[in-house]
Structure formats: structure tokens, C-alpha cells
Amino acid sequence: MHKFVTEKGWYQPNSPRPQTPKNLAVSLSIEAAEILEHFQWDENSPYPQQLESELADVALYLLQLASICNIDLEKAILEKLQVNYNREWNPIERQSKDENGKEN
């Protein structure tokens, strides 16, 4: 991704597409919204190849945002997965335990 952005000149101070965290986060959100359009009136995308392209756009913006913010995305994902493994997902289970994780 860095090679592509560098070749486009987007790291330059006068770039029309400055690679700032805010700009990348906004672009990521816009691209994610474009994915929603594929499912606006149907359970399945009527244009799977276009959906594939939009998903790739989201992934590219996410990778660039993580890179610009000096975040090791692989490490962050693995850590988040571990948090999620230990998380109580059922609200009834959560209510039946106290803050120490012990049954009430």
C-alpha cells in the first residue's frame, strides 16, 4: 500500500488526498457505507463483483489507517479476538454474574 500511495504522490504535503488519520477514517466509513448499498433492498448483493471491489476498498483503507497510526493490525486483531473469547455475549448470563465473574 505504501508503494501505491507514494507513487500517487499522496504523502506529499500538497497532495489532493492527504493521508491523515481523519481523512482515512472518513474514507473508510464512506466505503463501508457503499457496501450497505449492495444490501439495501435485498439479502444478497445483486452485483457480487462490485461488492468484492468495495470490500477490497474497505480493507485497503483499514490497512492504511492502521499503518499511518502505527498500529500493528494483526496484533490488535489477535488481542481483540482474545477479549471477545472471554466476553459474555448473553445479557442474561452477564446479569447473573457479579463484577468479578462469579455467579450471583
Side-chain angles (χ1 to χ4, degrees):
M1 189 65 184
H2 283 295
K3 181 180 181 209
F4 173 76
V5 172
T6 299
E7 288 179 8
K8 292 293 183 181
W10 295 341
Y11 286 129
Q12 299 300 317
N14 60 349
S15 167
R17 291 183 171 81
Q19 302 295 291
T20 66
K22 178 193 120 335
N23 289 348
L24 293 168
V26 168
S27 296
L28 175 62
S29 181
I30 291 167
E31 292 298 336
E34 289 180 12
I35 291 170
L36 287 173
E37 287 181 320
H38 286 266
F39 302 99
Q40 187 173 10
W41 305 114
D42 202 343
E43 289 297 312
N44 297 302
S45 173
Y47 308 104
Q49 289 180 325
Q50 290 176 3
L51 174 61
E52 182 179 293
S53 178
E54 297 301 346
L55 289 169
D57 285 340
V58 168
L60 289 169
Y61 277 116
L62 178 62
L63 291 169
Q64 182 66 352
L65 178 59
S67 177
I68 291 296
C69 292
N70 295 314
I71 292 172
D72 180 338
L73 193 55
E74 180 180 13
K75 179 178 173 256
I77 289 170
L78 293 173
E79 288 173 355
K80 184 62 175 184
L81 278 172
Q82 190 59 50
V83 167
N84 287 345
Y85 273 116
N86 297 322
R87 182 176 170 191
E88 296 293 336
W89 293 91
N90 184 337
I92 295 170
E93 288 176 31
R94 196 169 44 240
Q95 289 174 0
S96 68
K97 293 184 179 181
D98 66 16
E99 65 269 358
N100 297 321
K102 296 181 182 175
E103 296 290 331
N104 287 330

